[in-house]
Amino acid sequence: MNPQIIAFYLPQFHRTKENDEWWGKGFTEWTNVAMAKPLFRGHYQPKIPTELGFYDLRFSENREAQAILAQKAGISAFCYWHYWFGNGKKLLNMPFEEVVRLKKPDMPFCLAWANHSWYKKSWKTNKSNFELPRGSKLLVEQTYPGIEDIDAHFYYLLDAFRDKRYYKIDGRLLFVIYAPLKMIDWQLFRDRWQELAQKEGLSGFYFVGHTMEQEFIEDIKNMGYDAVNFSTHHQAFPHKEPAKGILHYLTALKNSISLKPKVVEYEKAIELMKSNYFKEENVYPTIIPNWDHTPRSGNFGTCFNNCTPELFAKHVSYILETIRPKKIDNQVVFLKSWNEWGEGAYLEPDVKYGYSYLNSTKEAILETRKLNKKILYVSHDTKYGGAQLLSLNIIKYLKEKFKYDISIIAINCGWFEDEFKKYGDFYNVDNNLEKAHSIIKKLRNSGVDIAICNTVISGDLVKLLKNENYKVITLIHELSGTIKAYNAEEKARNISIY
């Protein structure tokens, strides 16, 4: 199967009234990126985009160009960061609203609610402006006003939830919550949104709680989230208890004077970011191409050093191999991130590495796919005839020459059945679509995602297969007169549609 890689997407690459007020007219994320400077020997800064340039997300063509690059690299969906602060207060909402309104780009998407307050930090990246961190000015507070706000939040996003592009897990709308343990009235929120989803004819929500701390995973599960997204980049840095009192200020002053952020070599970091939790069915790991917070926080930042596409490929391969034994719906990985340039976490092409990170992602996915040697073959029956002999020879060749594990569904039986059974697990469904659907789902959950269907009679199963996200090839031998003679027009129509 193709593992599902969902890329977090930052929408802060356009002007807003608030950013103009807080940081100066014209401020976007590119402001920090372009002004970044190397803070130690060998520090790769500034990081400058190439193909997409310093784009403005108010323009649809920029968003479409991003989607084209992402899909070519094997990214399954964008997960747009979503900012709802309560009482209808929103920030950075324009790009996603346009994605929904314009129905493009044609790429799956979901949402991650960044449910945290915004502060104006008291430190400066310029040493001459250094201030002791006595506190940070609150810019906008995250609030949870209650049931009316919960409803307003849902209906603001309803058009997005109804969009056919909205990404689903287990048939439900994927919705990520950044700070799940800080949610006030979480159970009320969850139950109300599920109720409203049912009322509006939606399939319900699949809630994923995000965390960067291992000790919170079980707490998030116990709160009733469907899954946990675990990002381990923080655990790559040595953890020390924060200083208190006067030591807090002395430490801050020392950090400013030393002019050196916390640095970990990426080769070491990808080992430290490994976790046995990634093997759990409902824990979704995060792949990290890079981490460098210094464009935002200067000497107080943390960063990985000597990140390369080759090491990133090794990191991605480890993650994909770790999740491979999971059920299909749980073979999910989050990418931090598609375009967090201010944190150094991006896949988009830059001056130094070009497309190398995108190519590394695609190659790791393809390598993982090579390990999945499973295929389903559908035969309309197992009687003795030309089409059946062709099926048998294809199955035999795939089994003996290419070493595929074969599963076989026969829509009807026949005396040639024992020959088919020699080459794989065999299922006779006796023309029962419900039985066939059950087997198709079972095989999909075991890792089968490719199907070959033989003759137009398999058309009803083609529809079921496509609905379970199989890739389907159908071999049609019949001419139009034969199709009409067997009253198989609807089956042929299913094949053409699906």
Side-chain angles (χ1 to χ4, degrees), residues 103-136:
K103 304 295 183 185
K104 57 185 181 180
D106 186 15
M107 179 171 181
F109 62 77
C110 58
L111 289 168
W113 181 13
N115 59 321
H116 59 81
S117 301
W118 282 21
Y119 294 89
K120 189 169 187 176
K121 303 295 192 296
S122 58
W123 36 250
K124 308 288 185 182
T125 58
N126 185 329
K127 180 189 171 188
S128 64
N129 291 330
F130 170 72
E131 298 174 19
L132 295 177
R134 298 188 181 94
S136 299

Side-chain angles (χ1 to χ4, degrees), residues 18 38 65 100 127 150 154 157 165 190 212 217 229 252 254 273 294 299-300 323 357 468:
E18 293 84 357
V100 175
K127 180 189 171 188
I150 291 172
F154 173 88
L157 295 172
R165 295 169 294 170
R190 178 196 62 195
M212 293 174 278
I217 292 176
N229 166 230
K254 178 182 176 184
M273 289 192 290
T294 62
N299 299 319
F300 296 93
I323 68 168
Y357 276 89
E468 295 298 333

Side-chain angles (χ1 to χ4, degrees), residues 179-206:
L181 299 181
K182 293 185 178 180
M183 284 271 308
I184 296 175
D185 292 332
W186 150 245
Q187 281 79 14
L188 174 64
F189 173 87
R190 178 196 62 195
D191 294 346
R192 182 59 175 166
W193 270 34
Q194 298 289 24
E195 178 186 340
L196 291 173
Q198 184 176 13
K199 176 184 174 183
E200 298 297 337
L202 302 173
S203 55
F205 289 94
Y206 191 92

Side-chain angles (χ1 to χ4, degrees), residues 409-461:
I409 290 179
I411 298 174
N412 285 296
C413 61
W415 65 269
F416 219 41
E417 187 173 300
D418 287 342
E419 290 298 311
F420 281 83
K421 288 180 178 178
K422 292 178 181 178
Y423 301 105
D425 296 328
F426 183 86
Y427 305 90
N428 176 20
V429 299
D430 295 317
N431 209 27
N432 184 323
L433 288 181
E434 186 175 337
K435 183 178 179 181
H437 193 196
S438 176
I439 294 166
I440 286 167
K441 290 180 69 173
K442 171 188 168 184
L443 293 173
R444 187 72 179 88
N445 284 329
S446 73
V448 184
D449 70 338
I450 296 175
I452 300 175
C453 297
N454 195 33
T455 82
V456 76
I457 303 302
S458 63
D460 289 337
L461 269 65

Side-chain angles (χ1 to χ4, degrees), residues 52-313:
L52 299 175
F54 292 102
Y55 50 74
D56 186 330
L57 290 180
R58 290 175 294 184
F59 296 98
S60 178
E61 57 265 32
N62 291 329
R63 302 190 299 267
E64 291 179 62
Q66 289 176 313
I68 290 169
L69 285 178
Q71 289 176 314
K72 285 181 178 179
I75 303 301
S76 307
F78 281 148
C79 185
Y80 293 89
W81 284 114
H82 160 66
Y83 303 87
W84 175 278
F85 295 94
N87 292 317
K89 176 62 178 177
K90 306 180 291 293
L91 285 175
L92 306 179
N93 47 298
M94 180 270 184
F96 180 70
E97 288 177 356
E98 289 294 279
V99 167
V100 175
R101 184 180 72 84
L102 297 175
K103 304 295 183 185
K104 57 185 181 180
D106 186 15
M107 179 171 181
F109 62 77
C110 58
L111 289 168
W113 181 13
N115 59 321
H116 59 81
S117 301
W118 282 21
Y119 294 89
K120 189 169 187 176
K121 303 295 192 296
S122 58
W123 36 250
K124 308 288 185 182
T125 58
N126 185 329
K127 180 189 171 188
S128 64
N129 291 330
F130 170 72
E131 298 174 19
L132 295 177
R134 298 188 181 94
S136 299
K137 178 184 177 182
L138 178 66
L139 297 176
V140 58
E141 183 179 9
Q142 179 65 58
T143 63
Y144 305 93
I147 189 70
E148 290 184 3
D149 188 71
I150 291 172
D151 286 8
H153 192 179
F154 173 88
Y155 280 104
Y156 164 65
L157 295 172
L158 182 56
D159 285 346
F161 297 149
R162 284 176 168 160
D163 196 298
K164 67 179 183 179
R165 295 169 294 170
Y166 202 101
Y167 188 87
K168 298 180 179 68
I169 294 179
D170 191 30
R172 293 178 283 157
L173 302 159
L174 171 60
F175 194 84
V176 180
I177 295 177
Y178 174 78
L181 299 181
K182 293 185 178 180
M183 284 271 308
I184 296 175
D185 292 332
W186 150 245
Q187 281 79 14
L188 174 64
F189 173 87
R190 178 196 62 195
D191 294 346
R192 182 59 175 166
W193 270 34
Q194 298 289 24
E195 178 186 340
L196 291 173
Q198 184 176 13
K199 176 184 174 183
E200 298 297 337
L202 302 173
S203 55
F205 289 94
Y206 191 92
F207 289 113
V208 173
H210 170 83
T211 185
M212 293 174 278
E213 307 297 336
Q214 179 174 299
E215 58 264 33
F216 295 150
I217 292 176
E218 295 304 322
D219 292 337
I220 295 169
K221 289 185 193 175
N222 292 336
M223 288 176 68
Y225 285 85
D226 295 291
V228 179
N229 166 230
F230 183 26
S231 183
T232 55
H233 59 291
H234 279 189
Q235 73 183 31
F237 296 94
H239 178 72
K240 294 181 180 179
E241 290 297 321
K244 297 180 180 179
I246 188 64
L247 288 177
H248 177 57
Y249 300 115
L250 291 174
T251 300
L253 182 60
K254 178 182 176 184
N255 288 343
S256 175
I257 294 170
S258 69
L259 293 173
K260 187 177 180 181
K262 291 180 182 178
V263 180
V264 174
E265 292 295 312
Y266 188 63
E267 186 171 16
K268 180 180 179 182
I270 60 176
E271 296 300 320
L272 294 172
M273 289 192 290
K274 292 180 178 179
S275 174
N276 284 329
Y277 273 104
F278 295 161
K279 299 176 183 178
E280 295 192 8
E281 285 289 336
N282 59 346
V283 175
Y284 302 152
T286 307
I287 53 178
I288 315 285
N290 195 340
W291 174 259
D292 186 346
H293 202 270
T294 62
R296 294 179 180 172
S297 51
N299 299 319
F300 296 93
T302 54
C303 74
F304 295 154
N305 193 37
N306 291 317
C307 301
T308 67
E310 293 76 20
L311 288 172
F312 176 61

